[in-house]
């Protein structure tokens, strides 16, 4: 592969070229890298318009952030008005990660309400990256307390993941078991106590 091909294959993150053992093949001047960076950013913006896989979309936006793309936030805000519901969920989640965009959660929940079947998996995978966000926490707790088994299980999984995403107090096997749908049905007192514990951990009154 040419140096330019290596650069693009690694999303312009040259550290990975060396980590993968291709450092001896990668010979590029700062001027060349600057030019390739411009091309890469343009390519990533274009791919945002055509890509449909939510995981890849998130990677594209993360890469634009890594390269400090000009007008990233305004560009993403504009795309919110133009894209499919699932893509809107991904962009809203990324905006929260970039600058704690205040409307992110409401945008995601609106998409879930209006297009549940199409976006439900992406919604909860996005919420996994928003550990501790208060509005999200309130929604997850409402899912646990509600009657929708699907939402309960997905909220339960999300809170479990939060234990590995910055809130280690949630990484508790007994707490995890107590929050399950089976516990809610068979051991309601245990379940309610577990909810109180989660609210305390998340500082929710």
């Amino acid at each position: 592969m040419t140096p330019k091909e290596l650069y693009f294959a690694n999303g312009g993150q040259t550290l990975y070229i060396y980590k993968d053992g291709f450092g001896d093949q990668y010979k590029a001047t700062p001027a060349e890298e600057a030019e390739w960076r411009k091309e890469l950013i343009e390519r990533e913006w274009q791919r945002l318009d055509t890509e449909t896989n939510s995981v890849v979309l998130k990677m594209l936006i993360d890469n634009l952030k890594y390269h400090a793309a000009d007008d990233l936030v305004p560009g993403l805000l504009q795309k919110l008005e133009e894209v499919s519901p699932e893509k809107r969920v991904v962009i809203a989640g990324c905006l929260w990660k970039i600058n704690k965009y205040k409307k992110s959660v409401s945008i995601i929940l609106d998409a879930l309400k209006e297009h549940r079947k199409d976006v439900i998996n992406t919604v909860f995978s996005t919420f996994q990256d928003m550990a501790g966000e208060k509005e999200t926490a309130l929604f997850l707790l409402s899912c646990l307390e509600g009657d929708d088994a699907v939402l309960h299980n997905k909220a339960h999984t999300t809170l479990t993941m939060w234990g590995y995403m910055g809130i280690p107090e949630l990484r508790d096997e007994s707490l995890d078991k107590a929050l399950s749908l089976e516990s809610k049905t068979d051991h309601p007192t245990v379940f309610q106590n577990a909810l109180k514990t989660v609210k305390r951990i998340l500082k929710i009154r």
Side-chain angles (χ1 to χ4, degrees), residues 3 13 24 30 62 66 71 84 91 142 151 160 168 178-179 187 194-195:
Q13 300 189 34
D24 57 336
D62 285 346
Y66 174 85
D71 298 321
S84 68
I91 292 174
S142 73
L151 293 183
T160 300
L179 289 172
H187 307 286
L195 278 181

Side-chain angles (χ1 to χ4, degrees), residues 13 26 40-41 61 70-71 81 85 87 94 97-98 125-126 141 143 149-150 155 162 179 184 189 195 203:
Q13 300 189 34
Y26 185 70
L40 180 68
I41 288 172
I61 295 171
D70 292 338
D71 298 321
E81 307 299 323
K87 194 174 289 189
C94 288
K97 288 180 65 179
I98 292 169
S125 65
T126 298
L141 288 167
C143 291
V150 173
W162 279 13
L179 289 172
K184 181 180 180 181
T189 301
L195 278 181
K203 300 179 181 178

Side-chain angles (χ1 to χ4, degrees), residues 6-43:
L6 284 169
Y7 182 90
F8 274 80
N10 288 273
Q13 300 189 34
T14 54
L15 170 65
Y16 294 107
I17 297 174
Y18 293 94
K19 287 183 69 174
D20 291 340
F22 293 99
D24 57 336
Q25 295 178 228
Y26 185 70
K27 308 298 180 184
T29 67
E32 286 174 324
E33 287 187 340
E35 183 61 33
W36 297 342
R37 172 183 170 275
K38 292 178 183 178
E39 292 182 31
L40 180 68
I41 288 172
E42 183 178 352
R43 184 193 74 171

Side-chain angles (χ1 to χ4, degrees), residues 72-154:
L72 177 57
V73 169
L76 293 176
L77 288 172
Q78 181 178 339
K79 286 191 178 297
L80 281 173
E81 307 299 323
E82 307 168 349
V83 297
S84 68
E86 184 178 29
K87 194 174 289 189
R88 192 177 307 128
V89 169
V90 174
I91 292 174
C94 288
L95 282 167
W96 184 85
K97 288 180 65 179
I98 292 169
N99 69 354
K100 300 296 187 289
Y101 182 53
K102 292 182 179 180
K103 295 182 180 180
S104 287
V105 179
S106 62
I107 289 170
I108 294 169
L109 292 179
D110 284 347
L112 178 63
K113 181 179 179 180
E114 297 172 13
H115 307 278
R116 171 169 167 153
K117 182 179 178 181
D118 297 328
V119 305
I120 187 168
N121 291 330
T122 302
V123 164
F124 282 93
S125 65
T126 298
F127 281 157
Q128 288 180 14
D129 290 331
M130 300 173 68
E133 199 284 324
K134 192 164 186 178
E135 192 177 351
T136 304
L138 288 169
F139 170 71
L140 296 177
L141 288 167
S142 73
C143 291
L144 293 179
E145 294 171 322
D147 299 324
D148 189 314
V150 173
L151 293 183
H152 181 113
N153 287 331
K154 288 188 175 295

